[in-house]
């Protein structure tokens, strides 16, 4: 049921459904948002926390069951008293190691260890599916993260100055807890700021990264090495790569074109001090309560979060961060099960069939492009609810009851990191899930052409076996349609049915598609929100998917009998599924960083594109959610 509100549905669907809730709903002090997804998250957390506590009581010192391993990690994270006694000690050996790397010669000698053990580096490395050979992994080179959430914020003094001031205050407080002399503490802080400024000058924005064409830059190995003349990357990687790569991919070409100017003998001290601070910041949450509080201050300034998570929630979140898949397999089997998996899979199949009909009836695609689009739908893999088992790498993990939390996490990360590098010559494992079952979310993966629907999102109001079909289509149906539609958004459309980034379009069809894409950009671009404006280019892929997902679910709704095809229920539950309230500090930041539009706009902007909206609520010219027919956009 919708909330009671004075807003007319014809003027503002989101406020009509969610307005009174929006005005009064509290956000938990240790959370940055409230809403439907957050409520489901808390439900899942409550269930799994009890199960982890029970498993912890039963686990022996060296369990073979992966859920019990997760429970041991949960228990270790819960021991705040031990961390209070340990203070900075568990992290000190890593800090000391960095301090000893006083020049480039020592840095390069230590580089194999720095890479394998995850120290902060002036570059980022990770294995990922090859854009153009989806059956192969490829080594990716990316830029380090900047202090500010997006590089465009460095040019905006109103955002830059208070956030950098908050970061500087946090770092000064944190370094005062170390054995550094006061003068060194300040030198480290200023050097880190200077090195961050160097990175930011040559770093991609989130808008740039939102276009897959910008991050697809295959580069010969020899050319990659030439871009990093001061870094002995080849010898550093030799112990962990199965063979010397012929090609790698550069995610951020701007950064690597300027790498020699960013990292060299002159800037090395700045890097070293930047690395020391980032190393410490990465571990503060794993150390004493006081260090955890200090290390969270900057994130709290960005997000508006009032309090840190209580110990039990912190332990739950940490266990989920590093043992997500084993926990997800457990959750899916206990709380979802095979019957629910089969029921929702049928809904997915209905939506794929509806999508095929929309492709067949399309008036602007040629026959050959339609054939390729249909083939992509025919080969799309559905990953529903949960995987049957976790990846074998988790069987190799052991959680030492006696070790401190920080080195335990470091050791766990090392195992996962080396596993990733070690399979660069192996075929891509298409059975892997991009999301665990306990996550309230969903995803489409273009390089494997599969859609993933974790069990946790397949609950009311998204999906309820007791709800009407119209309700379920407005919730889960539109969400499922959204993920299917990512196969044909401005990025997904670049990949073929096997996940290879390969043009399968007739030129005239793709030109027409780009016109639709621009129309979608224009529909959102410049809308005022949270003291800023929506960047249509940044959010276009998600908006295309919202638009097409709504349309696919509407097609399925049209196939139902008249007493079931309640379009009012459909739109109301669609709006309810987007019920979200975000702290104002974070709202402004996500305008520059998030490829998703704010929830209210994801409700109110796409809905007026469809004739069913006007018929369901008798929306007329002059109403707030009326859109001139010539400005309505339906791509798929």
């Amino acid at each position: 049921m919708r909330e009671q509100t004075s807003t007319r549905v014809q003027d503002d669907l989101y406020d009509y459904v969610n307005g009174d809730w929006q005005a009064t709903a509290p956000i938990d002090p240790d959370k940055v948002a409230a809403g439907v997804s957050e409520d489901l998250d808390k439900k899942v957390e409550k269930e799994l926390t009890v199960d982890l506590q029970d498993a912890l009581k039963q686990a022996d010192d060296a369990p073979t069951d992966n859920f019990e391993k997760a429970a041991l990690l949960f228990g270790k994270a819960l021991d705040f008293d031990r961390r209070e006694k340990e203070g900075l000690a568990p992290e000190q050996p890593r800090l000391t190691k960095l301090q000893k790397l006083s020049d480039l010669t020592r840095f390069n000698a230590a580089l194999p260890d720095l890479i394998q053990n995850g120290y902060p580096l002036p570059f980022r490395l990770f294995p990922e599916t090859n854009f153009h050979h989806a059956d192969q992994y490829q080594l990716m080179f990316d830029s380090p993260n900047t202090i500010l959430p997006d590089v465009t914020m460095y040019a905006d003094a109103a955002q830059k100055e208070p956030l950098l001031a908050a970061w500087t205050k946090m770092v000064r407080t944190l370094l005062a807890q170390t054995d550094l002399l006061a003068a060194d503490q300040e030198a480290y802080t200023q050097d880190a700021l200077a090195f961050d400024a160097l990175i930011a000058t040559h770093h991609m924005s989130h808008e740039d990264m939102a276009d897959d064409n910008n991050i697809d830059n295959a580069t010969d190995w020899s050319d990659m090495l030439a871009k990093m003349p001061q870094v002995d990357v080849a010898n550093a990687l030799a112990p962990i790569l199965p063979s010397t790569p012929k090609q790698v991919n550069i995610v951020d070409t701007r950064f690597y074109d300027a790498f020699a100017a960013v990292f060299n003998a002159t800037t090395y001290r700045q890097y070293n001090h930047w690395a020391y601070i980032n190393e410490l910041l990465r571990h503060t949450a794993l150390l004493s309560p006081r260090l955890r509080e200090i290390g969270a201050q900057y994130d709290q300034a960005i997000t508006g979060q009032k309090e840190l998570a209580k110990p039990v929630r912190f332990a739950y979140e940490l266990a989920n961060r590093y043992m997500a898949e084993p926990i997800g397999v457990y959750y899916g089997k206990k709380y979802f099960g095979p019957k629910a998996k089969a029921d929702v899979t049928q809904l997915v199949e209905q939506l794929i069939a509806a999508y095929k009909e929309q492709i067949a009836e399309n008036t602007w695609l040629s026959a050959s492009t339609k054939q390729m689009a249909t083939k992509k739908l025919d080969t799309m893999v559905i990953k529903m609810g949960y995987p049957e088992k976790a990846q074998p790498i988790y069987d190799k993990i052991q959680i030492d009851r006696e070790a401190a939390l920080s080195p335990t996490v470091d050791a766990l990360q090392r195992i996962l990191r080396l596993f990733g590098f070690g399979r660069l010559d192996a075929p891509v494992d298409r059975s892997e899930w991009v999301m665990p079952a306990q996550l309230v979310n969903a995803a489409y993966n273009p390089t494997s052409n599969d859609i993933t629907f974790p069990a946790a999102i397949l609950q009311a109001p998204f999906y309820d076996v007791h709800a009407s079909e119209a309700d379920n289509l407005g919730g889960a149906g539109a969400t499922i349609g959204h993920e299917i539609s990512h196969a044909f958004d401005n990025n997904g459309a670049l990949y073929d049915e096997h996940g290879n980034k390969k043009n399968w379009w007739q030129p005239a069809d793709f030109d027409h598609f780009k016109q639709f894409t621009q129309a979608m950009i224009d529909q959102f671009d410049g809308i005022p929100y949270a003291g800023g404006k929506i960047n249509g280019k940044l959010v276009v892929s998600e908006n295309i998917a919202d638009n097409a997902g709504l349309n696919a679910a509407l097609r399925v709704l049209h196939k139902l009998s008249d007493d079931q095809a309640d379009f009012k229920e459909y739109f109301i539950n669609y709006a309810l599924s987007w019920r979200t309230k975000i702290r104002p500090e974070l709202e402004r930041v996500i305008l520059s960083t998030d490829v998703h539009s704010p929830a209210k706009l994801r409700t109110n902007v796409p809905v007026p594109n469809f004739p069913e909206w006007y018929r369901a609520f008798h929306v007329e010219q002059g109403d707030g959610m009326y859109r001139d027919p010539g400005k309505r956009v339906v791509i798929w």
Side-chain angles (χ1 to χ4, degrees), residues 98-289:
L98 286 172
Q99 286 178 298
K100 290 180 178 178
L101 305 181
S102 56
D103 55 38
L104 275 170
T105 300
R106 290 180 174 84
F107 169 82
N108 279 309
L111 191 54
D113 177 61
L114 298 178
I115 292 174
Q116 292 175 41
N117 288 296
Y119 285 84
L121 295 168
F123 53 90
R124 285 204 298 135
L125 293 170
F126 57 94
E128 191 52 84
T129 304
N130 190 312
F131 281 108
H132 300 280
H133 300 281
D135 59 340
Q136 302 172 10
Y137 294 107
Q138 189 172 41
L139 188 61
M140 305 281 173
F141 282 74
D142 200 1
S143 46
N145 292 328
T146 54
I147 294 173
L148 298 186
D150 188 72
V151 293
T152 59
M153 299 169 72
Y154 286 83
D156 181 353
Q159 294 189 81
K160 172 185 175 180
E161 292 176 5
L163 287 180
L164 285 184
W167 185 89
T168 303
K169 179 181 178 182
M170 172 191 67
V171 168
R172 284 173 174 156
T173 307
L174 184 60
L175 293 182
Q177 315 304 308
T178 71
D179 59 3
L180 292 175
L181 298 174
D184 290 335
Q185 294 171 26
E186 187 60 21
Y188 275 50
T189 303
Q190 295 305 320
D191 281 346
L193 287 166
F195 194 70
D196 175 75
L198 271 176
I199 295 170
T201 302
H202 306 288
H203 198 288
M204 290 177 74
S205 69
H206 282 79
E207 179 188 322
D208 292 334
M209 289 186 285
D211 185 339
D212 281 10
N213 284 320
N214 291 335
I215 61 174
D216 171 22
N217 304 288
T219 304
D220 289 344
W221 181 235
S222 58
D223 293 337
M224 185 71 244
L225 298 180
K227 291 178 180 292
M228 307 173 70
Q230 302 281 8
V231 183
D232 192 0
V233 177
N235 285 328
L237 290 175
I240 59 174
L241 298 185
S243 65
T244 301
K246 294 179 181 178
Q247 275 194 336
V248 298
N249 183 71
I250 298 179
V251 176
D252 188 345
T253 54
R254 285 186 58 197
F255 180 76
Y256 284 96
D257 286 345
F259 185 85
V262 174
F263 184 73
N264 53 54
T266 303
T267 64
Y268 180 78
R269 190 185 75 166
Q270 293 175 347
Y271 154 73
N272 183 255
H273 294 167
W274 170 91
Y276 180 100
I277 289 171
N278 277 282
E279 168 65 23
L280 183 52
L281 284 170
R282 289 180 186 183
H283 288 80
T284 51
L286 310 175
L287 300 170
S288 71

Side-chain angles (χ1 to χ4, degrees), residues 9 121 153 159 166 181 214 252 322 335 370 466 483 491 514 540 585 594:
V9 65
L121 295 168
M153 299 169 72
Q159 294 189 81
L181 298 174
N214 291 335
D252 188 345
Y322 298 107
Y335 295 99
K370 286 184 181 182
H466 304 296
E483 299 306 340
N491 286 322
K514 287 192 289 187
V540 66
E585 295 90 340
D594 198 340

